Amino acid sequence: MELGRARLAWAAALLLAALGAQAAARDSDPYRVLGVGRSSSQADIKKAYKRLAREWHPDKNKDPGAEDRFIQISKAYEILSNEEKRANFDRYGDAGESQGYSQHQHRQYHHFHEGFYFDESFFNFPFNSERRDNSDEKYLLHFSHYINEIVPDSFKKPYLIKITSDWCFSCIHIEPVWKEVAQELEVLGVGIGVVHAGYERRLAHHLGAHSTPTILGLINGKITFFHNAVIRENLRQFVENLLPGNLVEKITDKNYIRFLSNWKKENKPHVLLFDHMPVVPLLYKLTAFAYRDYLSFGYVYVGLRGTEELSSQYNINVYTPTMMIFKEHIDKPVDVVQARDMKKQLIDDFLSQNKFLVVARLTNQRLFQELCPVKKSHRQRKHCVVLLTGEGDKFDKAYEAFLNFAVANAKDTLKFVHIYNDRQPEFADALLMDDEKYRGKSAVVILERRNNAGKIAYKTLEDAWQGSKEDNFILLDLLDQLRTDPGLLSSETVLEDLNDELAPMFLIRWFYSTLDYILDCWDSLFHSNWREMMPLLSLLFSALFILFGTIIVQAFSDPSNTRNSPPSEKAETAAKSEKNDASFSKESNSRIPKKGFVEVTELTDINYNSNLVRLRPGHINVVLILSNATKTALLQKFALEVYTFTGSSSLHFSFLSLDKHREWLEYLLEFAQDAAPIPNQYDKHFLERDYTGYVLALNGHKKYFCLFKPHRSGDEGGTLALCEDYNSSLHTEARGKSSCSPGSSSIKNKLHKLSFWMERLLEGSLQRFYIPSWPALD
């Protein structure tokens, strides 16, 4: 018997495993996931992917399984959009490059089927960081490292950062794609970072990532979130979109002269890349971003019609990528590099040696510090030869002579620069001492920076610089003497920081700052994290609510009409009625009703939980018991008695049909035997007992009620409940006209003095009857 049960259990386990394997195979088939055939074209596959991705995107689809479904769709598209992976799947049933993988998996399944054997790798699911691929370890970021190193470095290269955590299924799904993209982009010069939210919560919160996985880009200290499917093409395009759009200019035969001639205006060397690719390579864009402060970049697509003159002018090999650097002379490049495979290291070495013009113009303090660094030792002496000149054709001859001298005498220990006296007057006055012989002419100064505070040692050529042969000999002789006699620089002074000539105007800077702020707000509003936007949105909607609320109140209220109009007959009648009842008048003066009517709802099985069982603490539901025959008359009197208590937000008013829920009422009244004795089940009048006019104050949270018994007609004041009592109230506007028959008048007398009972209810002086739990209202 036991053996039969064991066999049955094993058979059930086998069946479940087979069904699970079949379902897994169906879910892992990319053709089934995208709903396309095996012969579908790439256009059909892409169309199906876009349709499904739009339908199952987690931001738009609130289905609990939308995220898993979206990941399956992205993974299927990643396989089928890559011809190599698609061929592997069609041939072996798997997108990997291992040919025998599916066969091994098939054998492993049969091994399990025959001997119920589990492979050790069956449970090797990388839930925690110890079992995951350790390739992310070298990219891990810490808060101080991010603030002190990554953010400043983002002004030179963009960063792609992933926020992950343990026990994150989606993080596991994107790991293969992330690893592939990270390796590819890192070679091109993109910074890669990984933040573990479990250990670096402060950094994850600082980045605005409140869920995992999250991928974001960082450039120029600005964070941008990635919102598309995690596939290679989308991540690569995301990084490319982070870069500014004006880094590289497209160059043809029509604009190459203008582009290269801008060296004087921009004060930068110009770089041209000749390649047969129709689009600018990402590596070249990243390089342009890194060197944007020093160089201007242009791209020539040699396969495009309209570049033949440019290619022949510089004798370009159209089959090999070629990079050229132009400085002051545009007819011939100063340096050239050719390579079939342009590597980042090769490009960096090539550009770092040509960051400045032969005779660069000092346009700001940073450039002055780079070209003329402070001496650190006697062996590292570096001198600057500065041409102080003016702008215009009058000074062109002197500048050309100085440029030719610099080309002929270029050395690592010498830097030749020039400056415009009119744009940097403090600099020129400190070196020339307002000497009249240099006024309107060019001068040459040899200087050496002594410290970062601006102290320099210098020597000025005695005569103005004309560019003659004699001037060249004098300057050359001074430079030869400077090698052996550092004391030649006998004069000393302190220079002020240079003006930033190329800095944009204040209005332009303000415009771009405002534009960046607007774009950040727009991106945060539609894509970024709502937690950070909630304070701003709350403040905005609060202000709008107050503004429009004030306008609406003023629009619907007219103070002049309210003051000048005579009181209506109904108001006068209501005032007289209130004066006749002293206690009622006193309460109405101290409590102002919020509405001009009493909202009384029927207590049914639909709203029973919300109106009683789950009633908020401190709230009480006042329930009137009535029948179909007494409904109209009792509701009218009930509204009159409780009207002045509608100003309390903790009171709710309902009525209960005795014809429908007599059993529920009988059960409740069993806990109030002293106040309302209940006949036993053998009493012949059991079903005839009249509970109409009973009022129960139910406290749903503390499970107790207070009971009001109907007023008998023989009691004192029992005949005072006349029809005009109700007609004089304000409720006639909402409830309509009521009948004034003797029957209705006697029924209304049941609720006489209910208002006094309500007073005692609010005072807390009524007897409370507690119950163990609220019965169901069938």
Side-chain angles (χ1 to χ4, degrees):
M1 186 67 179
E2 296 295 336
L3 182 60
R5 290 181 179 177
R7 289 180 178 177
L8 184 60
W10 283 114
L14 177 61
L15 180 61
L16 291 175
L19 292 176
Q22 183 179 4
R26 182 169 61 253
D27 293 341
S28 61
D29 187 351
Y31 293 103
R32 283 181 175 271
V33 173
L34 294 182
V36 297
R38 291 183 175 269
S39 59
S40 300
S41 63
Q42 286 294 335
D44 295 336
I45 292 173
K46 188 173 183 180
K47 183 178 180 181
Y49 163 72
K50 287 186 175 181
R51 177 178 56 82
L52 292 174
R54 194 181 305 111
E55 177 184 356
W56 290 97
H57 197 284
D59 292 342
K60 297 181 179 180
N61 195 322
K62 301 305 180 182
D63 190 285
E67 182 177 359
D68 294 336
R69 180 65 174 167
F70 185 73
I71 293 173
Q72 289 181 0
I73 294 169
S74 302
K75 189 65 177 178
Y77 178 69
E78 181 184 358
I79 294 174
L80 298 184
S81 61
N82 188 306
E83 294 296 341
E84 183 179 355
K85 292 182 179 180
R86 183 179 180 182
N88 286 336
F89 182 83
D90 293 340
R91 190 175 304 172
Y92 307 114
D94 185 79
E97 299 181 358
S98 176
Q99 182 175 352
Y101 173 76
S102 60
Q103 298 174 357
H104 168 72
Q105 189 181 34
H106 183 71
R107 289 196 304 269
Q108 187 183 78
Y109 174 74
H110 278 283
H111 192 188
F112 162 76
H113 174 75
E114 296 172 359
F116 303 101
Y117 169 75
F118 288 94
D119 194 299
E120 292 179 359
S121 63
F122 189 87
F123 291 101
N124 188 19
F125 200 72
F127 278 121
N128 54 47
S129 56
E130 294 180 359
R131 294 188 177 184
R132 288 189 186 177
D133 191 355
N134 58 1
S135 60
D136 285 347
E137 292 183 0
K138 64 177 181 178
Y139 303 126
L140 288 177
L141 301 180
H142 305 286
F143 186 81
S144 59
H145 178 223
Y146 171 82
I147 296 297
N148 298 325
E149 298 184 23
I150 301 301
V151 173
D153 198 40
S154 68
F155 289 85
K156 298 179 181 177
K157 63 180 180 182
Y159 273 82
L160 189 65
I161 301 176
K162 177 184 71 171
I163 291 86
T164 184
S165 64
D166 293 336
W167 304 100
C168 173
F169 288 92
S170 301
C171 301
I172 298 170
H173 282 294
I174 69 172
E175 272 189 3
V177 180
W178 170 263
K179 182 178 180 181
E180 177 186 358
V181 173
Q183 292 176 351
E184 177 186 354
L185 295 180
E186 188 179 22
V187 175
L188 299 180
V190 178
I192 305 296
V194 175
V195 177
H196 196 293
Y199 302 104
E200 288 293 333
R201 294 183 180 180
R202 182 183 178 188
L203 179 55
H205 181 74
H206 176 79
L207 295 174
H210 299 281
S211 62
T212 56
T214 298
I215 297 178
L216 54 88
L218 175 69
I219 188 169
N220 291 333
K222 177 185 176 183
I223 296 173
T224 304
F225 285 87
F226 175 77
H227 300 287
N228 295 324
V230 183
I231 58 177
R232 175 182 175 275
E233 291 76 10
N234 289 348
L235 287 172
R236 186 183 176 94
Q237 187 63 41
F238 173 68
V239 173
E240 193 163 353
N241 291 340
L242 292 176
L243 300 170
N246 58 349
L247 289 173
V248 181
E249 185 177 352
K250 295 291 185 68
I251 304 301
T252 61
D253 294 340
K254 297 180 179 180
N255 62 352
Y256 82 95
I257 295 179
R258 176 194 58 77
F259 173 74
L260 297 178
S261 300
N262 280 339
W263 66 267
K264 193 168 187 179
K265 178 181 178 182
E266 298 177 359
N267 194 36
K268 296 178 181 178
H270 284 59
V271 184
L272 283 181
L273 174 64
F274 297 81
D275 203 348
H276 57 277
M277 299 293 293
V279 296
V280 181
L282 179 58
L283 174 60
Y284 193 55
K285 289 185 178 180
L286 293 169
T287 303
F289 178 76
Y291 291 90
R292 66 189 184 281
D293 293 335
Y294 302 97
L295 303 165
S296 293
F297 292 82
Y299 181 76
V300 182
Y301 173 33
V302 294
L304 180 67
R305 181 178 299 177
T307 60
E308 296 85 357
E309 178 184 346
L310 186 58
S311 300
S312 61
Q313 170 76 17
Y314 301 111
N315 194 20
I316 300 299
N317 184 358
V318 297
Y319 301 103
T320 305
T322 305
M323 188 176 291
M324 295 182 173
I325 290 186
F326 297 82
K327 294 187 178 180
E328 283 87 351
H329 299 103
I330 65 173
D331 55 341
K332 183 179 180 181
V334 296
D335 206 350
V336 180
V337 62
Q338 282 186 339
R340 291 189 176 275
D341 188 11
M342 286 281 188
K343 299 291 185 181
K344 181 179 183 301
Q345 187 62 42
L346 175 64
I347 296 176
D348 287 342
D349 294 340
F350 177 69
L351 297 180
S352 60
Q353 297 175 3
N354 297 278
K355 290 168 56 176
F356 306 103
L357 296 170
V358 177
V359 181
R361 180 162 62 92
L362 299 181
T363 56
N364 53 60
Q365 185 67 18
R366 179 188 59 81
L367 189 60
F368 180 43
Q369 293 173 351
E370 288 194 55
L371 290 172
C372 304
V374 177
K375 74 166 188 174
K376 296 181 180 179
S377 65
H378 293 288
R379 296 182 180 180
Q380 295 179 347
R381 288 181 177 275
K382 291 188 177 181
H383 301 92
C384 275
V385 184
V386 185
L387 173 67
L388 292 89
T389 184
E391 300 181 72
D393 298 338
K394 175 183 177 182
F395 301 94
D396 287 347
K397 181 179 179 182
Y399 170 77
E400 289 294 334
F402 187 77
L403 174 61
N404 294 332
F405 181 89
V407 171
N409 297 277
K411 296 178 182 180
D412 293 339
T413 57
L414 283 179
K415 290 292 183 181
F416 293 88
V417 296
H418 73 286
I419 196 169
Y420 288 154
N421 296 337
D422 296 338
R423 299 194 182 188
Q424 304 291 344
E426 295 86 358
F427 188 93
D429 294 343
L431 295 178
L432 300 181
M433 299 296 182
D434 294 330
D435 200 328
E436 290 294 334
K437 63 181 177 181
Y438 300 113
R439 192 169 301 278
K441 298 179 181 179
S442 302
V444 174
V445 177
I446 305 172
L447 62 84
E448 178 184 18
R449 294 181 63 224
R450 295 295 173 87
N451 57 35
N452 291 322
K455 184 178 180 180
I456 65 167
Y458 70 99
K459 182 176 180 58
T460 306
L461 269 66
E462 294 183 0
D463 297 325
W465 175 265
Q466 302 291 335
S468 62
K469 291 184 178 180
E470 182 180 357
D471 292 339
N472 288 336
F473 287 139
I474 294 174
L475 180 56
L476 185 60
D477 183 56
L478 287 175
L479 294 176
D480 289 338
Q481 295 180 34
L482 192 60
R483 295 178 184 175
T484 58
D485 184 14
L488 184 66
L489 306 180
S490 56
S491 302
E492 291 185 352
T493 189
V494 177
L495 297 176
E496 299 291 336
D497 289 348
L498 296 177
N499 302 324
D500 192 353
E501 299 178 14
L502 302 180
M505 297 175 59
F506 171 76
L507 290 177
I508 297 177
R509 294 200 306 269
W510 179 84
F511 173 77
Y512 282 115
S513 299
T514 305
L515 181 61
D516 290 340
Y517 180 77
I518 294 174
L519 292 177
D520 289 343
C521 292
W522 181 265
D523 183 69
S524 299
L525 183 62
F526 287 96
H527 294 108
S528 291
N529 179 343
W530 283 91
R531 297 187 186 184
E532 296 182 356
M533 292 296 298
M534 283 306 296
L536 178 61
L537 293 176
S538 177
L539 179 62
L540 178 62
F541 282 111
S542 298
L544 292 176
F545 178 78
I546 295 173
L547 176 62
F548 286 104
T550 305
I551 294 175
I552 292 173
V553 170
Q554 292 179 352
F556 285 93
S557 64
D558 191 350
S560 60
N561 294 339
T562 304
R563 294 174 182 174
N564 299 330
S565 61
S568 62
E569 296 180 357
K570 294 180 180 179
E572 291 178 354
T573 308
K576 294 178 180 179
S577 176
E578 291 174 359
K579 290 179 180 178
N580 292 334
D581 196 340
S583 59
F584 185 83
S585 176
K586 179 180 179 181
E587 181 61 28
S588 62
N589 290 334
S590 61
R591 185 184 297 108
I592 301 175
K594 290 185 175 180
K595 303 176 181 178
F597 62 92
V598 180
E599 183 178 354
V600 185
T601 59
E602 183 179 2
L603 191 64
T604 63
D605 55 340
I606 298 176
N607 59 11
Y608 182 66
N609 286 333
S610 60
N611 286 1
L612 176 58
V613 179
R614 298 176 183 174
L615 206 60
R616 287 178 292 176
H619 286 238
I620 295 177
N621 194 345
V622 181
V623 181
L624 169 67
I625 308 300
L626 50 76
S627 61
N628 292 335
T630 61
K631 182 176 181 180
T632 303
L634 284 179
L635 279 177
Q636 292 174 353
K637 181 61 176 177
F638 182 72
L640 176 63
E641 293 291 331
V642 302
Y643 173 68
T644 55
F645 299 92
T646 57
S648 175
S649 60
S650 61
L651 291 180
H652 308 270
F653 301 98
S654 305
F655 69 90
L656 183 75
S657 175
L658 186 63
D659 302 327
K660 300 178 183 178
H661 308 293
R662 175 180 287 269
E663 293 183 5
W664 180 87
L665 179 63
E666 295 280 3
Y667 173 80
L668 216 62
L669 293 180
E670 288 180 1
F671 296 92
Q673 289 289 348
D674 295 339
I678 305 301
N680 56 47
Q681 59 181 345
Y682 301 105
D683 189 349
K684 62 179 181 180
H685 302 292
F686 173 74
L687 297 177
E688 300 176 2
R689 186 171 180 82
D690 184 18
Y691 294 109
T692 57
Y694 277 58
V695 178
L696 287 79
L698 308 175
N699 190 317
H701 180 68
K702 293 187 176 181
K703 297 183 179 63
Y704 73 81
F705 65 92
C706 300
L707 180 63
F708 171 81
K709 294 173 58 178
H711 181 73
R712 296 180 182 180
S713 60
D715 293 346
E716 182 181 354
T719 59
L720 296 177
L722 301 178
C723 190
E724 53 264 32
D725 291 344
Y726 180 78
N727 292 335
S728 62
S729 68
L730 297 176
H731 310 293
T732 54
E733 298 179 4
R735 296 297 180 180
K737 296 181 179 180
S738 63
S739 63
C740 194
S741 63
S744 63
S745 177
S746 61
I747 292 174
K748 291 179 182 179
N749 289 338
K750 290 187 174 185
L751 298 180
H752 185 61
K753 295 187 179 181
L754 177 62
S755 59
F756 296 101
W757 182 83
M758 292 291 299
E759 288 285 354
R760 295 180 61 192
L761 174 66
L762 295 181
E763 293 172 359
S765 60
L766 292 177
Q767 183 180 2
R768 299 179 180 180
F769 305 101
Y770 288 88
I771 64 171
S773 63
W774 295 111
L777 188 68
D778 297 330

